[in-house]
Amino acid sequence: MRRRVGHTERSAVGEVRRELREFLRHRSGPEQIDAAELLLSELVTNALIHTRHGAVVTATATPAALRVEVQDFEADLPAPYVPNADDGTHGRGLILVRSMADAWGVEARALGKVVWFELRGAGV
């Protein structure tokens, strides 16, 4: 699965989630799909909020794992952030990714960066 999301397309987060769900429909179980959708939402939302040039979402599935990548076109890498109790919901996206994904990371690219996660097992 591959999808370009424009910077002003905040409604596209739901569309990308639906595309991922359809992509995984015959590849994964419901729990894996739900987790993948949530983590994808966090990464795409971060890319749209914190950058100015949109993002490219890529998902690949093998029998062993699902890998989702969100590439944006800003060189700044995400800084570690620990939200305090007064922050509402701000700053918890990467904490969710770190706690739910089997693996995740950030890779600098010639044009921006890629933030990715992997989910393994359970029929992926």
Side-chain angles (χ1 to χ4, degrees):
M1 178 191 115
R2 187 168 173 87
R3 165 84 189 265
R4 172 98 163 113
V5 180
H7 172 66
T8 60
E9 292 183 80
R10 299 271 164 85
S11 64
V13 175
E15 294 168 15
V16 173
R17 284 178 65 125
R18 283 187 291 281
E19 287 179 35
L20 182 65
R21 177 170 288 279
E22 183 61 27
F23 175 74
L24 295 174
R25 187 165 54 112
H26 298 295
R27 294 176 173 94
S28 298
E31 289 180 13
Q32 286 281 52
I33 293 172
D34 290 345
E37 278 188 274
L38 175 61
L39 299 181
L40 171 70
S41 294
E42 295 298 334
L43 295 187
V44 171
T45 300
N46 281 351
L48 296 181
I49 288 173
H50 298 293
T51 70
R52 295 179 303 244
H53 303 290
V56 176
V57 177
T58 306
T60 54
T62 67
L66 166 70
R67 182 178 175 105
V68 174
E69 298 179 347
V70 178
Q71 179 179 5
D72 65 50
F73 305 96
E74 298 285 333
D76 296 335
L77 300 178
Y81 178 77
V82 178
N84 64 43
D86 297 337
D87 278 347
T89 59
H90 173 71
R92 289 171 172 75
L94 289 179
I95 292 171
L96 275 173
V97 173
R98 183 175 40 222
S99 67
M100 293 179 67
D102 293 308
W104 79 281
V106 180
E107 299 170 4
R109 297 280 170 94
L111 294 173
K113 67 185 164 297
V114 170
V115 182
W116 59 269
F117 69 86
E118 291 181 355
L119 297 174
R120 295 185 200 110
V124 173

